[in-house]
């Protein structure tokens, strides 16, 4: 298995809802990432997990809460989001210390906040 | 500051023409550079990494430390090359990947 799988593919949520995005990989990668991508813009890093521990938080608002329950799974919990949070949320993974060999990206969850 | 600059938002060429997508970086250390491609409605895919000096789908990229550039080149563009191309920098000792703004390559028949 050489893929990063993200679910759901699409999500519409109200500003008072709580929802979660899920990311899974079975490549044995111990680094996992959340990126946010607005239309026609590059991905922007949100969080990095290394060996299931949060190593980078790019000053992301607390309404986004990441979780890495095990080495294959990465979640992003969403609560009280704003319409401007609507975007494509990408998950990626890589080998720790071997990032120069590249990152594998999922196809993303397209989030719309209404 | 760590930054990646892709000066062209859109590059439009005819099929069979040479292509060069420009990428300049700003980084004080030894850079690790990548090109990623995003075809319409598909996931972001790794195209090239500077350490491997490989050619993928006819594309090559050479790191020029003097000019702080990592331009992507292909001698003869194909219609299926039409996509968004991102140059990305990975600073040392961090898993972070910094993307340029991207260049849309449009190859016309």
């Amino acid at each position: 298995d050489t893929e990063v799988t993200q679910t759901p593919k699409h999500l519409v949520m109200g500003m008072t809802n709580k929802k979660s995005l899920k990311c899974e990989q079975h490549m044995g990668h111990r680094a996992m990432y959340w990126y946010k991508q607005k239309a026609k813009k590059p991905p922007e890093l949100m969080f990095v997990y290394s060996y299931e521990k949060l190593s980078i938080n790019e000053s992301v608002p607390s309404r986004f809460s990441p979780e890495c329950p095990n080495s294959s799974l990465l979640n992003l919990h969403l609560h009280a989001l704003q319409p401007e949070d609507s975007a494509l949320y990408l998950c990626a993974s890589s080998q720790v210390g071997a990032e120069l060999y590249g990152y594998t990206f999922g196809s993303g969850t397209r989030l719309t906040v209404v | 500051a760590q930054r990646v600059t892709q000066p062209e938002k859109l590059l439009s060429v005819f099929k069979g023409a040479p292509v060069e997508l420009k990428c300049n970086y700003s980084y004080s250390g030894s850079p690790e550079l990548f090109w990623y491609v995003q075809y319409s409605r598909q996931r972001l895919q790794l195209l090239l990494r500077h350490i491997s000096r490989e050619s993928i789908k006819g594309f090559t990229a050479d790191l020029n430390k003097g000019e702080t550039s990592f331009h992507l080149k292909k001698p003869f563009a194909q219609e299926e090359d039409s996509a968004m191309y991102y140059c990305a920098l990975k600073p040392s000792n961090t898993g972070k990947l910094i993307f340029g703004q991207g260049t849309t390559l449009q190859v016309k028949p």
Side-chain angles (χ1 to χ4, degrees):
Chain A
D1 188 350
T2 58
E3 284 200 352
V4 172
T5 304
Q6 290 188 244
T7 53
K9 292 201 180 311
H10 301 274
L11 179 63
V12 179
M13 61 184 290
M15 288 190 283
T16 57
N17 290 162
K18 282 187 181 181
K19 296 285 184 184
S20 296
L21 309 185
K22 181 179 169 183
C23 171
E24 201 163 0
Q25 57 86 18
H26 297 285
M27 294 178 282
H29 290 173
R30 301 302 294 277
M32 296 185 77
Y33 312 82
W34 281 114
Y35 281 84
K36 174 181 177 179
Q37 187 177 25
K38 298 282 252 183
K40 301 198 183 298
K41 295 289 186 185
E44 294 176 1
L45 182 66
M46 300 174 72
F47 302 104
V48 179
Y49 272 83
S50 181
Y51 295 109
E52 296 86 69
K53 289 191 179 351
L54 183 64
S55 59
I56 296 178
N57 176 341
E58 291 285 284
S59 304
V60 179
S62 60
R63 56 185 184 269
F64 296 91
S65 175
E67 180 198 18
C68 191
N70 60 58
S71 60
S72 300
L73 196 52
L74 184 67
N75 298 319
L76 186 63
H77 303 297
L78 314 172
H79 174 53
L81 294 195
Q82 304 297 310
E84 58 265 27
D85 296 322
S86 298
L88 182 67
Y89 287 84
L90 296 171
C91 176
S93 70
S94 69
Q95 290 281 12
V96 174
E99 293 87 0
L100 53 82
Y101 291 102
Y103 300 67
T104 302
F105 282 84
S107 54
T109 293
R110 192 163 297 281
L111 174 68
T112 303
V113 182
V114 297
Chain B
Q2 301 161 352
R3 188 169 57 245
V4 177
T5 303
Q6 293 179 250
E8 302 136 331
K9 274 187 121 170
L10 172 67
L11 184 62
S12 187
V13 301
F14 285 102
K15 177 182 169 182
V19 167
E20 183 179 52
L21 287 83
K22 294 190 184 337
C23 172
N24 289 91
Y25 66 90
S26 173
Y27 180 59
S28 56
S30 192
E32 295 173 14
L33 290 155
F34 306 86
W35 277 98
Y36 280 83
V37 60
Q38 196 167 31
Y39 299 101
S40 179
R41 300 190 179 280
Q42 292 189 28
R43 67 185 67 199
L44 203 57
Q45 302 171 35
L46 176 65
L47 181 63
L48 283 176
R49 49 193 185 203
H50 89 274
I51 57 156
S52 58
R53 304 183 65 81
E54 57 203 341
S55 174
I56 303 288
K57 299 184 180 182
F59 284 97
T60 58
D62 288 317
L63 176 60
N64 185 324
K65 289 188 179 181
E67 295 184 0
T68 60
S69 69
F70 188 55
H71 302 328
L72 183 68
K73 298 177 185 178
K74 184 168 182 176
F76 308 104
Q78 303 299 313
E79 287 180 71
E80 55 266 31
D81 296 328
S82 296
M84 174 70 89
Y85 290 80
Y86 290 104
C87 182
L89 165 73
K90 192 195 88 64
S92 302
N93 301 319
T94 171
K96 195 171 172 173
L97 200 57
I98 300 167
F99 287 89
Q101 290 298 304
T103 298
T104 299
L105 175 63
Q106 187 181 77
V107 181
K108 296 178 284 190

